[in-house]
Amino acid sequence: MHDFRYVRGRLQCEGVSIESLVKKHGSPLYVYSSNTLSNNFNKLKDALSSLDHLICFAMKSNSNLGVMRTLSDLGSGFDTVSGGEIKRVIAAGGNPRKCVFAGVGKTEEEIAFALSKGIYSFNVESEPELLRINRIAGKLKQKAPVAIRVNPNVDAKTHKKITTGTYENKFGIAFEKIPGVYARAAKLKHIRLRGLQMHIGSQLTQVKPFADAVKKVAPLAARLKAKYNIEFLSIGGGIGIVYENALASGNPDWWNRKEARNILTPEKYAATLLPNLEPLELKLLIEPGRFISGNAGILVSRVEYVKQTGKKYFAIVDAAMNDLIRPAFYESYHEIVPVKQSKKRVIATDIVGGICETGDTFCKDRPIPRVSEGDLIAMLSAGAYGFVMAGTYNTRPMPAEILVKGRKSTVVRKRQKIKDIWVGESTAPWQK
Ligand code: LLP
């Protein structure tokens, strides 16, 4: 569910018209709904309410300060993957003590910083990392709280670039090796074994891979609790969202329809996994990113040109792959709708950006009502891995971001000024 819908033929986010936002702030423009963020967070929280749990929002999916603050005000912790992200948590008014620090490449500086901020746990990805954390914690006369990431070797059945839980992937430590690693870790003076962690992949649309992984890992967690007194199990993130029927899924009635029956919901997720988790009497951590932020955001763009070549009809828009890279990078689908509802003839359209690469394509042969120069379109489900993966390729400025709450809206990130793109750059001294 989400809060983007047509009201009298015009797309709105909650109580605010998208046209009015573009009039004020220009395009391309990311727009986020506070209510959708809160609802998604609360749905997960309610589904897990029978267990002592902590939701650590995977801020890699959307790290805008306004978005993060919306979630930390609801009690969310954060799944962080760099020293920069931990600093962002603090800048957003979040609590580092509710944060986990993950990632396969933690530097010495990042580890020392995370320790100084009292991070809840390091999610450790290798034995060399464990030794490094032990050494740095020793220098700081601390005991570092850690969870080791188990790779359960379960195929998440998702896109190959976002599968993480098989032995083909660089993540975690193989299931069979975990007991030995904990035994060695228990002997390290500056390590406190606090938990066990796993994450098998992103955009999972079925519960089965989660269930298989939990069934495999729960007995291991029970053994580690008995032996080392660990206090939590993190089952990672990965709950998928609706991309194909994104607009329709904003309507509660749609969820009673046949096509909605197979969608993974927090209720299904909890009902399937909790029976294996409750008996452990461990605190449960989850690290959802996309589920919370994905359908809470859209990217709005203006049609610059329409053009017909030999066989094809193209709409060239003012957003490009530098603003939303997912279609180019993962061939991912984003539903695209006109901001002003249209009765024009439906025509197979390629919506593309202006960058000189064929990959700069948002959709191919998509049947949408014919668009004209100046029309606004919205790319839905762009709240996760949208702005955060944007860049300035072709010296195009980063788009602005707007947060809406009811009838209120505010700029939570200003559009980048072109001259700020090369701040910090210079010519060489010998170039006079
Ligand atoms: N925990 C860990 C250890 C992760 O690696 C990730 C995502 C998450 C949690 C959050 O996963 P989520 O709940 O958002 O599925 N850029 C890609 C997605 C990359 C996901 C990376 N890891 C995309 O646009 O689809």
PDB file of all heavy atoms in Angstrom, residues 5 44 88 97 123 128 143 192 194 198 219 303 337 372 409:
ATOM      1  N   ARG A   5      -1.891   8.556  -5.496  1.00  0.00           N
ATOM      2  CA  ARG A   5      -3.105   8.217  -6.247  1.00  0.00           C
ATOM      3  C   ARG A   5      -3.629   9.426  -7.010  1.00  0.00           C
ATOM      4  O   ARG A   5      -3.236  10.568  -6.736  1.00  0.00           O
ATOM      5  CB  ARG A   5      -4.189   7.655  -5.328  1.00  0.00           C
ATOM      6  CG  ARG A   5      -4.664   8.570  -4.215  1.00  0.00           C
ATOM      7  CD  ARG A   5      -5.621   7.830  -3.314  1.00  0.00           C
ATOM      8  NE  ARG A   5      -5.025   6.568  -2.861  1.00  0.00           N
ATOM      9  CZ  ARG A   5      -4.253   6.434  -1.788  1.00  0.00           C
ATOM     10  NH1 ARG A   5      -4.008   7.474  -1.014  1.00  0.00           N
ATOM     11  NH2 ARG A   5      -3.731   5.280  -1.462  1.00  0.00           N
ATOM     12  N   LEU A  44       5.338  -3.903   9.698  1.00  0.00           N
ATOM     13  CA  LEU A  44       6.355  -4.897  10.085  1.00  0.00           C
ATOM     14  C   LEU A  44       6.414  -5.034  11.597  1.00  0.00           C
ATOM     15  O   LEU A  44       6.496  -6.138  12.130  1.00  0.00           O
ATOM     16  CB  LEU A  44       7.726  -4.452   9.570  1.00  0.00           C
ATOM     17  CG  LEU A  44       8.097  -4.911   8.172  1.00  0.00           C
ATOM     18  CD1 LEU A  44       9.410  -4.278   7.743  1.00  0.00           C
ATOM     19  CD2 LEU A  44       8.228  -6.441   8.133  1.00  0.00           C
ATOM     20  N   ARG A  88      25.647   9.820   9.154  1.00  0.00           N
ATOM     21  CA  ARG A  88      24.328  10.257   8.701  1.00  0.00           C
ATOM     22  C   ARG A  88      23.251   9.955   9.744  1.00  0.00           C
ATOM     23  O   ARG A  88      22.326  10.739   9.928  1.00  0.00           O
ATOM     24  CB  ARG A  88      23.944   9.509   7.419  1.00  0.00           C
ATOM     25  CG  ARG A  88      23.904  10.377   6.208  1.00  0.00           C
ATOM     26  CD  ARG A  88      23.457   9.566   5.017  1.00  0.00           C
ATOM     27  NE  ARG A  88      23.874  10.236   3.812  1.00  0.00           N
ATOM     28  CZ  ARG A  88      23.197  11.232   3.241  1.00  0.00           C
ATOM     29  NH1 ARG A  88      22.047  11.647   3.740  1.00  0.00           N
ATOM     30  NH2 ARG A  88      23.656  11.809   2.167  1.00  0.00           N
ATOM     31  N   ARG A  97      23.244   3.489  18.978  1.00  0.00           N
ATOM     32  CA  ARG A  97      23.122   2.293  19.825  1.00  0.00           C
ATOM     33  C   ARG A  97      22.064   1.334  19.310  1.00  0.00           C
ATOM     34  O   ARG A  97      21.918   0.223  19.804  1.00  0.00           O
ATOM     35  CB  ARG A  97      22.823   2.690  21.283  1.00  0.00           C
ATOM     36  CG  ARG A  97      23.993   3.399  21.876  1.00  0.00           C
ATOM     37  CD  ARG A  97      23.858   3.758  23.330  1.00  0.00           C
ATOM     38  NE  ARG A  97      25.013   4.562  23.694  1.00  0.00           N
ATOM     39  CZ  ARG A  97      26.194   4.059  24.037  1.00  0.00           C
ATOM     40  NH1 ARG A  97      26.360   2.764  24.140  1.00  0.00           N
ATOM     41  NH2 ARG A  97      27.215   4.854  24.295  1.00  0.00           N
ATOM     42  N   ASN A 123      28.300  -6.549  12.177  1.00  0.00           N
ATOM     43  CA  ASN A 123      28.006  -7.789  11.460  1.00  0.00           C
ATOM     44  C   ASN A 123      29.283  -8.182  10.729  1.00  0.00           C
ATOM     45  O   ASN A 123      29.654  -7.563   9.747  1.00  0.00           O
ATOM     46  CB  ASN A 123      26.855  -7.589  10.456  1.00  0.00           C
ATOM     47  CG  ASN A 123      25.529  -7.372  11.164  1.00  0.00           C
ATOM     48  OD1 ASN A 123      25.401  -7.664  12.350  1.00  0.00           O
ATOM     49  ND2 ASN A 123      24.552  -6.867  10.440  1.00  0.00           N
ATOM     50  N   PRO A 128      39.538 -12.422   9.162  1.00  0.00           N
ATOM     51  CA  PRO A 128      40.478 -11.292   9.243  1.00  0.00           C
ATOM     52  C   PRO A 128      39.810 -10.027   9.794  1.00  0.00           C
ATOM     53  O   PRO A 128      40.416  -9.264  10.553  1.00  0.00           O
ATOM     54  CB  PRO A 128      40.914 -11.090   7.784  1.00  0.00           C
ATOM     55  CG  PRO A 128      40.676 -12.396   7.111  1.00  0.00           C
ATOM     56  CD  PRO A 128      39.545 -13.051   7.834  1.00  0.00           C
ATOM     57  N   LYS A 143      35.343  -3.714  24.532  1.00  0.00           N
ATOM     58  CA  LYS A 143      34.954  -5.024  24.010  1.00  0.00           C
ATOM     59  C   LYS A 143      33.967  -4.749  22.885  1.00  0.00           C
ATOM     60  O   LYS A 143      32.946  -4.094  23.104  1.00  0.00           O
ATOM     61  CB  LYS A 143      34.257  -5.824  25.110  1.00  0.00           C
ATOM     62  CG  LYS A 143      35.070  -7.021  25.626  1.00  0.00           C
ATOM     63  CD  LYS A 143      34.278  -7.678  26.715  1.00  0.00           C
ATOM     64  CE  LYS A 143      34.624  -9.061  27.129  1.00  0.00           C
ATOM     65  NZ  LYS A 143      35.515  -9.953  26.632  1.00  0.00           N
ATOM     66  N   ARG A 192      32.970  -9.310  22.097  1.00  0.00           N
ATOM     67  CA  ARG A 192      31.818  -9.834  22.834  1.00  0.00           C
ATOM     68  C   ARG A 192      30.878 -10.450  21.807  1.00  0.00           C
ATOM     69  O   ARG A 192      30.348  -9.734  20.928  1.00  0.00           O
ATOM     70  CB  ARG A 192      31.131  -8.682  23.559  1.00  0.00           C
ATOM     71  CG  ARG A 192      29.772  -9.034  24.073  1.00  0.00           C
ATOM     72  CD  ARG A 192      29.150  -7.844  24.789  1.00  0.00           C
ATOM     73  NE  ARG A 192      27.766  -8.131  25.084  1.00  0.00           N
ATOM     74  CZ  ARG A 192      26.824  -7.224  25.235  1.00  0.00           C
ATOM     75  NH1 ARG A 192      27.129  -5.944  25.109  1.00  0.00           N
ATOM     76  NH2 ARG A 192      25.587  -7.560  25.506  1.00  0.00           N
ATOM     77  N   ARG A 194      27.745 -11.223  20.473  1.00  0.00           N
ATOM     78  CA  ARG A 194      26.418 -10.739  20.851  1.00  0.00           C
ATOM     79  C   ARG A 194      25.304 -11.379  20.033  1.00  0.00           C
ATOM     80  O   ARG A 194      24.158 -11.446  20.477  1.00  0.00           O
ATOM     81  CB  ARG A 194      26.375  -9.222  20.660  1.00  0.00           C
ATOM     82  CG  ARG A 194      25.148  -8.588  21.268  1.00  0.00           C
ATOM     83  CD  ARG A 194      25.272  -7.091  21.368  1.00  0.00           C
ATOM     84  NE  ARG A 194      24.401  -6.598  22.414  1.00  0.00           N
ATOM     85  CZ  ARG A 194      24.285  -5.331  22.761  1.00  0.00           C
ATOM     86  NH1 ARG A 194      25.023  -4.416  22.167  1.00  0.00           N
ATOM     87  NH2 ARG A 194      23.467  -4.978  23.724  1.00  0.00           N
ATOM     88  N   MET A 198      22.325 -13.113   9.306  1.00  0.00           N
ATOM     89  CA  MET A 198      22.320 -13.609   7.921  1.00  0.00           C
ATOM     90  C   MET A 198      21.506 -12.650   7.050  1.00  0.00           C
ATOM     91  O   MET A 198      20.732 -11.834   7.552  1.00  0.00           O
ATOM     92  CB  MET A 198      21.713 -15.010   7.847  1.00  0.00           C
ATOM     93  CG  MET A 198      20.234 -15.039   8.118  1.00  0.00           C
ATOM     94  SD  MET A 198      19.583 -16.627   7.649  1.00  0.00           S
ATOM     95  CE  MET A 198      17.916 -16.493   8.211  1.00  0.00           C
ATOM     96  N   PRO A 219      18.609 -23.720  14.425  1.00  0.00           N
ATOM     97  CA  PRO A 219      19.288 -24.640  15.354  1.00  0.00           C
ATOM     98  C   PRO A 219      20.722 -24.200  15.666  1.00  0.00           C
ATOM     99  O   PRO A 219      21.191 -24.372  16.797  1.00  0.00           O
ATOM    100  CB  PRO A 219      19.300 -25.983  14.600  1.00  0.00           C
ATOM    101  CG  PRO A 219      18.264 -25.851  13.527  1.00  0.00           C
ATOM    102  CD  PRO A 219      18.173 -24.396  13.183  1.00  0.00           C
ATOM    103  N   VAL A 303       8.645  15.377 -20.005  1.00  0.00           N
ATOM    104  CA  VAL A 303       8.978  14.961 -21.375  1.00  0.00           C
ATOM    105  C   VAL A 303       9.594  16.170 -22.080  1.00  0.00           C
ATOM    106  O   VAL A 303       8.997  17.244 -22.136  1.00  0.00           O
ATOM    107  CB  VAL A 303       7.714  14.488 -22.134  1.00  0.00           C
ATOM    108  CG1 VAL A 303       8.052  14.137 -23.580  1.00  0.00           C
ATOM    109  CG2 VAL A 303       7.071  13.308 -21.418  1.00  0.00           C
ATOM    110  N   VAL A 337       3.657   6.313 -15.027  1.00  0.00           N
ATOM    111  CA  VAL A 337       2.291   6.814 -15.248  1.00  0.00           C
ATOM    112  C   VAL A 337       2.331   8.317 -15.525  1.00  0.00           C
ATOM    113  O   VAL A 337       3.227   9.018 -15.051  1.00  0.00           O
ATOM    114  CB  VAL A 337       1.379   6.532 -14.015  1.00  0.00           C
ATOM    115  CG1 VAL A 337       1.262   5.037 -13.733  1.00  0.00           C
ATOM    116  CG2 VAL A 337       1.874   7.272 -12.777  1.00  0.00           C
ATOM    117  N   SER A 372       3.229  14.033 -24.786  1.00  0.00           N
ATOM    118  CA  SER A 372       3.729  15.128 -25.622  1.00  0.00           C
ATOM    119  C   SER A 372       4.755  15.929 -24.832  1.00  0.00           C
ATOM    120  O   SER A 372       4.798  15.865 -23.588  1.00  0.00           O
ATOM    121  CB  SER A 372       2.617  16.098 -25.985  1.00  0.00           C
ATOM    122  OG  SER A 372       1.487  15.413 -26.382  1.00  0.00           O
ATOM    123  N   SER A 409       4.442  19.851   2.501  1.00  0.00           N
ATOM    124  CA  SER A 409       5.578  19.294   1.764  1.00  0.00           C
ATOM    125  C   SER A 409       6.789  20.156   2.069  1.00  0.00           C
ATOM    126  O   SER A 409       6.657  21.348   2.376  1.00  0.00           O
ATOM    127  CB  SER A 409       5.294  19.322   0.264  1.00  0.00           C
ATOM    128  OG  SER A 409       5.256  20.649  -0.191  1.00  0.00           O
TER     129      SER A 409
END
